[in-house]
Amino acid sequence: MIATTRAVMVKELRQIRRDRRTLLILVFVPALFLLLYGYALNFDIRNIALAVEDRDHSAESRALVAAFTNSGYFRFAGAVYSDAELQRRIDANEARAALVIPANYGRDLARGIPTRVQVIVDGDNATTASSVVGYATAIVAGTGAELVAAQTTGGRGPARPLVDFEPRVWYNPQLRSTLFLVPGLIAYISMITAVISTALAVVREKERGTMEQIRMAPVSPLAFVLGKTIPYSAIAFVSAVLIVLVSMVLFGLPQHGAWWLLCVTIGVFLVGAQGQGLLISTLSANQQVAFQIALLSSFLPTFVLSGFIFPVTSMPAAVQVVTYAVPARYFIGALRAVVLKGAGVDVVWQQLAALTMFAAVMIGLASLRLQREWR
C-alpha cells in the first residue's frame, strides 16, 4: 500500500514538474490574487472627488474648502462657476460631491449670522453617498464649532452653530441600495455568461477534431472569430436586455436615458466580453481549462475591481491602474449614467470608446492567436 502510494506520488510530481505552466499557476496565482484583491477589498471611502462652487471667494469660504480637502476623505476636483457645469461634472463622474458656498458667507459669519452651505452628492452609489453625507456633517459641524469658540468672549457668543449644511442627493434621493446594486449585477451576470459561452467555442472544435477541417477550408482566422462571436453576441444581447427589463419591473430600476444608447452600451460590452472568451479558447487545451480561466478572469475582476461593490477611488494607486483593464468598470459607469442620470453620448463617450477598444483588442488577439496556430 505505502509503496504503491509512493510510486503514484513520484509519478505525479514528475508530471507536475514537466507541466511548468500549471505549476506556476498553482504556486504564484493564489499569492497574486491575494495581493491584488486584498488591497482592493476596502469599504473605507476616501479620495472623494469634490467640486466646489464658491460664490463668496472670502477667507472664510477658503477655510471651509480646506477643512474638506484636508480631512483625508475629499480631494479637490476643481472649481465650478455655474449649476450647469456642476451637473456636467457629476454626470461625467468627474465629481462625486459638490460643495456650494453662498455669497456673503464670510460677511454673515463675521456678523454672527448663521449661514448654510449646500452639499450635493451623486446618489448612483448609495454606500458612497451615505458616507459622503456623514463626512460632510462632521466637517461642517467641526467648522461651526471652531467659529463659535472663536467668537465667544467672556462666555458670550452665538447661541447656535454658525454654519449648517443642506445635503442633496441626486438621482437616488432615498439612497436605495437596489438602484446601486442592480446595474452592477447586470454587468456581473452578462460578463460571466458572455465570456464562458465563447470560451468553450474554439476549444470544443479542437476536442471534436473538426478544427483541422475548418483550417483547410477557405476561412480566414478573423472571419472565423467574427463568425463565432456574432451568434453568441445576439443571444447574449437578448438575454441582457431581458435582464434589464426584469430589473425595471421587479426592482424599479429607472430608465432616464435613451434606449438606443443603452442598447449600444450593452452591445459593445458583450462583443468585448465574448472576444475575451474566444481569446481564452484559443489559448486553452481543453474545455475544462478554458472554463476555469474564463471564470477566474471574469468573476473576481468584475466583482472586485469594477466599482460594482468597492469604490475604485478608495483603492491603492497601483490597483487603480489595474482596474483600467477591466471592461466592467466602463460598462457599470456608463450603465449607471444612462439609466439613473439620463446621460447622453457627450457624457459616456469615454466609456464607450474604452469598451470599443477593448473589444477590438480582444478580437484582434484571438484572430492573431488562431492565425499562428493554423500555420
Side-chain angles (χ1 to χ4, degrees):
M1 178 70 179
I2 296 176
T4 307
T5 303
R6 181 182 176 186
V8 172
M9 184 181 71
V10 171
K11 176 257 179 191
E12 196 62 30
L13 286 174
R14 288 175 178 170
Q15 187 67 30
I16 292 173
R17 191 175 61 184
R18 293 192 192 101
D19 189 356
R20 294 184 179 178
R21 182 182 298 179
T22 303
L23 183 61
L24 287 174
I25 291 174
L26 291 175
V27 173
F28 293 107
V29 168
L32 178 64
F33 280 3
L34 178 64
L35 187 66
L36 180 61
Y37 298 122
Y39 281 108
L41 296 173
N42 189 350
F43 283 108
D44 295 337
I45 310 297
R46 292 184 178 277
N47 296 318
I48 302 161
L50 178 73
V52 176
E53 184 176 355
D54 187 353
R55 301 172 182 170
D56 189 54
H57 300 288
S58 62
E60 288 81 3
S61 66
R62 288 192 290 274
L64 180 61
V65 175
F68 272 80
T69 55
N70 293 335
S71 66
Y73 299 117
F74 296 89
R75 63 175 173 83
F76 184 66
V80 295
Y81 301 97
S82 67
D83 292 343
E85 185 182 2
L86 188 152
Q87 180 165 1
R88 186 196 63 77
R89 291 212 174 198
I90 290 183
D91 286 350
N93 285 329
E94 295 175 4
R96 300 293 308 175
L99 174 64
V100 181
I101 302 175
N104 301 324
Y105 171 81
R107 186 197 64 185
D108 289 345
L109 290 181
R111 295 176 178 176
I113 300 174
T115 185
R116 171 173 289 187
V117 298
Q118 190 178 59
V119 176
I120 298 172
V121 183
D122 186 351
D124 70 344
N125 186 326
T127 304
T128 301
S130 299
S131 298
V132 171
V133 173
Y135 295 154
T137 302
I139 292 169
V140 172
T143 303
E146 290 176 2
L147 290 169
V148 170
Q151 294 187 9
T152 300
T153 304
R156 301 179 63 182
R160 54 179 178 169
L162 287 177
V163 184
D164 192 9
F165 90 107
E166 176 189 3
R168 289 188 60 193
V169 180
W170 283 3
Y171 310 119
N172 186 10
Q174 291 84 28
L175 293 177
R176 293 172 56 200
S177 58
T178 303
L179 299 186
F180 155 61
L181 292 173
V182 167
L185 201 57
I186 292 170
Y188 179 71
I189 295 170
S190 300
M191 183 71 187
I192 291 178
T193 54
V195 171
I196 291 178
S197 65
T198 51
L200 306 179
V202 175
V203 74
R204 189 186 299 124
E205 302 277 3
K206 295 178 186 175
E207 290 186 344
R208 290 176 178 173
T210 55
M211 183 58 81
E212 288 301 318
Q213 299 174 6
I214 297 172
R215 182 181 172 185
M216 300 306 294
V219 180
S220 67
L222 180 59
F224 179 76
V225 168
L226 291 176
K228 285 283 187 185
T229 304
I230 292 172
Y232 287 108
S233 295
I235 296 171
F237 179 79
V238 172
S239 175
V241 171
L242 187 61
I243 292 173
V244 172
L245 292 175
V246 170
S247 301
M248 291 176 178
V249 173
L250 297 183
F251 302 110
L253 183 71
Q255 165 53 6
H256 296 306
W259 272 100
W260 70 267
L261 184 57
L262 176 62
C263 292
V264 168
T265 304
I266 293 173
V268 176
F269 172 68
L270 290 175
V271 170
Q274 292 183 332
Q276 178 179 332
L278 281 173
L279 178 61
I280 293 169
S281 195
T282 60
L283 294 170
S284 305
N286 54 60
Q287 293 189 60
Q288 184 180 5
V289 173
F291 180 80
Q292 291 177 353
I293 297 176
L295 200 60
L296 285 175
S297 64
S298 58
F299 176 78
L300 285 175
T302 303
F303 187 77
V304 180
L305 301 177
S306 65
F308 172 26
I309 300 292
F310 309 100
V312 173
T313 54
S314 298
M315 299 175 187
V319 180
Q320 289 188 37
V321 172
V322 176
T323 64
Y324 285 109
V326 179
R329 168 181 175 161
Y330 307 105
F331 180 60
I332 291 175
L335 191 61
R336 285 174 177 163
V338 173
V339 300
L340 297 180
K341 303 176 183 177
V345 179
D346 58 323
V347 172
V348 300
W349 69 269
Q350 290 181 333
Q351 286 94 336
L352 290 178
L355 289 173
T356 303
M357 189 180 300
F358 179 79
V361 168
M362 288 296 108
I363 291 177
L365 288 177
S367 301
L368 290 174
R369 171 65 188 172
L370 205 57
Q371 188 175 22
R372 183 179 175 185
E373 195 173 291
W374 283 4
R375 285 178 181 171

